[in-house]
Amino acid sequence: MLSLKRTLAGLVMSVAAATVMAQTTPDALIKQVSTEVIDTIKADKSIQAGDIGKIIALVDAKVMPHVNFQRMTASSVGRHWRTATPEQQKKLQDEFKTLLVRTYAGALTQVKDQTVQLKPLRAAAEDTEVVVRTEVKGKGEPIQLDYRLEKANADWKIYDVNVRGVWLVEQYKGQFAQDISANGIDGLITKLAERNKGAKS
């Protein structure tokens, strides 16, 4: 569990962002937001002390605006997304967002002195979907973190993350498929809601 939190800490560090000026490249976005979140953590003693409310607010304000939640949720739910009603889709997206916010918030408490190094971006200027590859370096072995981003209008949005060789959407897709097969879309919504409620207690 601690290893997972440390891994996710690097994830948070890399994707967290505040209001970002116009970005010309997706790797510039990742670089800028990584620096900003590290500086925020270092400057805020209550976050360092584990103030979960403040951490959740930080993640919600600075990470989530740069994630395409509809695409991430739809991809994780897979083919069942198309058969879900608009109301079910909204509930799934809301619960999935809460799950990720709390996961990132928990990981944020583990951020200490890590640094993020970007690998050269292999993409053409006209590409609208790219992979940004990074390494999180601190104590121990470097952590591989890769990001799939898409360009919508003038903004780059993250829609999947590769942690140590595993894409999160694929990982959730397998879990969600089992829950849907057993109890349907509503069963998955209920399970996510219960998980999120448990995290609050």
Side-chain angles (χ1 to χ4, degrees):
M1 181 62 70
L2 183 58
S3 176
L4 175 60
K5 285 186 175 181
R6 285 175 176 167
T7 299
L8 288 171
L11 168 64
V12 171
M13 223 168 36
S14 296
V15 304
T19 301
V20 178
M21 303 300 287
Q23 296 292 329
T24 56
T25 62
D27 54 339
L29 171 65
I30 296 295
K31 179 67 174 177
Q32 179 173 336
V33 302
S34 299
T35 300
E36 180 153 354
V37 73
I38 293 169
D39 290 345
T40 300
I41 295 168
K42 289 180 178 178
D44 195 319
K45 292 184 178 179
S46 60
I47 290 179
Q48 295 172 22
D51 184 334
I52 191 65
K54 196 164 187 179
I55 293 170
I56 289 173
L58 174 66
V59 172
D60 199 29
K62 299 185 182 298
V63 179
M64 298 307 146
H66 299 280
V67 178
N68 182 338
F69 267 106
Q70 181 173 347
R71 179 169 180 173
M72 198 170 190
T73 307
S75 297
S76 298
V77 173
R79 62 184 176 83
H80 301 285
W81 178 260
R82 296 191 297 274
T83 62
T85 66
E87 182 181 4
Q88 288 175 323
Q89 289 179 351
K90 183 180 185 304
K91 288 181 179 179
L92 280 169
Q93 191 168 322
D94 289 345
E95 294 297 343
F96 191 44
K97 178 180 178 180
T98 300
L99 172 65
L100 291 179
V101 167
R102 290 190 167 273
T103 299
Y104 293 169
L108 198 57
T109 63
Q110 304 297 316
V111 174
K112 301 299 180 184
D113 299 317
Q114 293 98 330
T115 60
V116 177
Q117 293 189 358
L118 275 71
K119 297 181 178 180
L121 179 64
R122 297 177 179 176
E126 65 272 15
D127 288 347
T128 57
E129 295 201 8
V130 301
V131 175
V132 175
R133 304 183 186 280
T134 77
E135 280 189 344
V136 179
K137 295 189 174 181
K139 294 182 178 179
E141 291 295 318
I143 298 169
Q144 171 195 348
L145 289 174
D146 301 333
Y147 306 89
R148 284 178 173 151
L149 296 95
E150 65 172 357
K151 192 173 187 179
N153 298 319
D155 297 325
W156 286 98
K157 298 281 188 178
I158 298 164
Y159 66 91
D160 201 359
V161 182
N162 183 327
V163 183
R164 297 184 187 275
V166 178
W167 289 102
L168 294 186
V169 165
E170 288 301 313
Q171 188 175 36
Y172 280 120
K173 190 173 183 178
Q175 296 174 13
F176 290 176
Q178 291 179 356
D179 293 331
I180 293 170
S181 294
N183 300 298
I185 292 288
D186 286 333
L188 174 59
I189 294 170
T190 298
K191 187 167 184 177
L192 288 172
E194 290 174 348
R195 183 172 176 180
N196 290 328
K197 184 178 180 181
K200 295 178 184 178
S201 60

